[in-house]
Amino acid sequence: MSTAPQGEAALQQLGAVPGVVGSLVFDAGGQVLASAFPPVFDAGGLRGLAERLGADGYFHEWMAAEDAALDLRYLDGNVAVRTVDRSWLLVLYTAQANAQLLTMSVTQVVRRLRAAGLRPQAPPAPASPLDRLRTAVSAELGDHAAQALEILNAAGPSPKDLLQAVADVEKLTRMFIDKKKADVVGRRLRAILGK
């Protein structure tokens, strides 16, 4: 998540309001930009919720205005959603929360989040096949990975060169460690190359 410290502090402050269970900020793509939920909440489930809301056309239509608000009441708790620039603040709270205090706190947090300038984090660049091979060799061979890494580093970027380097690493492992380990390493490295 890419948030300014002020954004994280704002969500933590909101979490201190009596009755507030947790809160998160998500963008139109469903990416969670900041979250302040107790550890008992499944992070994957919260991401899934953000993704579903981010992909819902009706939600975008209802929440298009600059100061749009949506309040949902359930038996076990309530959900408030507020627009924050091109993202949304979702707050889960209990029925026992003081409505006026919550409204004032959410308004203040929205202001702080806008000032913090929450922005979606650029997705990480996918690891190159060579990087994935290096990681696998380090994991499989541990202390014995130095020579195998040298072989990989000397290989060219073409798939043919990488496949030859994998064969060389497999031979090296067979000669200096054992046949079983060489088979495991060879299979894993070829799987990375899709062979």
Side-chain angles (χ1 to χ4, degrees):
M1 288 175 228
S2 174
T3 62
Q6 301 90 348
E8 290 290 341
L11 292 183
Q12 294 299 329
Q13 178 186 2
L14 184 59
V17 173
V20 171
V21 177
S23 59
L24 63 85
V25 179
F26 64 97
D27 66 10
Q31 181 180 359
V32 176
L33 304 175
S35 179
F37 270 90
V40 71
F41 284 84
D42 176 41
L46 293 171
R47 277 192 308 274
L49 171 64
E51 288 169 3
R52 284 190 297 279
L53 287 173
D56 189 309
Y58 290 117
F59 178 79
H60 283 270
E61 186 177 323
W62 296 328
M63 301 299 290
E66 179 70 25
D67 292 320
L70 178 65
D71 289 302
L72 306 168
R73 302 197 185 283
Y74 300 95
L75 290 176
D76 296 334
N78 304 320
V79 176
V81 183
R82 301 292 185 269
T83 300
V84 181
D85 296 328
R86 292 181 306 263
S87 59
W88 296 278
L89 167 67
L90 180 142
V91 181
L92 175 63
Y93 62 99
T94 66
Q96 291 75 33
N98 180 311
Q100 293 165 329
L101 177 60
L102 181 65
T103 300
M104 289 187 310
S105 298
V106 167
T107 301
Q108 197 64 265
V109 167
V110 167
R111 286 185 188 140
R112 289 182 67 189
L113 290 171
R114 285 183 176 144
L118 293 179
R119 298 291 179 262
Q121 181 178 346
S128 72
L130 182 57
D131 289 337
R132 293 191 343 235
L133 290 172
R134 287 180 188 135
T135 302
V137 162
S138 296
E140 288 290 340
L141 300 179
D143 293 339
H144 304 288
Q147 280 187 300
L149 289 172
E150 285 179 26
I151 291 170
L152 290 174
N153 290 336
S158 76
K160 181 181 175 186
D161 292 340
L162 292 176
L163 198 53
Q164 181 58 51
V166 165
D168 292 343
V169 167
E170 191 174 4
K171 273 188 230 174
L172 179 75
T173 306
R174 185 172 285 115
M175 287 182 353
F176 293 105
I177 298 178
D178 70 14
K179 182 181 184 316
K180 186 176 179 183
K181 186 65 167 178
D183 292 342
V184 169
V185 169
R187 270 195 309 277
R188 183 168 179 196
L189 297 181
R190 280 191 294 281
I192 289 171
L193 296 176
K195 304 292 181 190

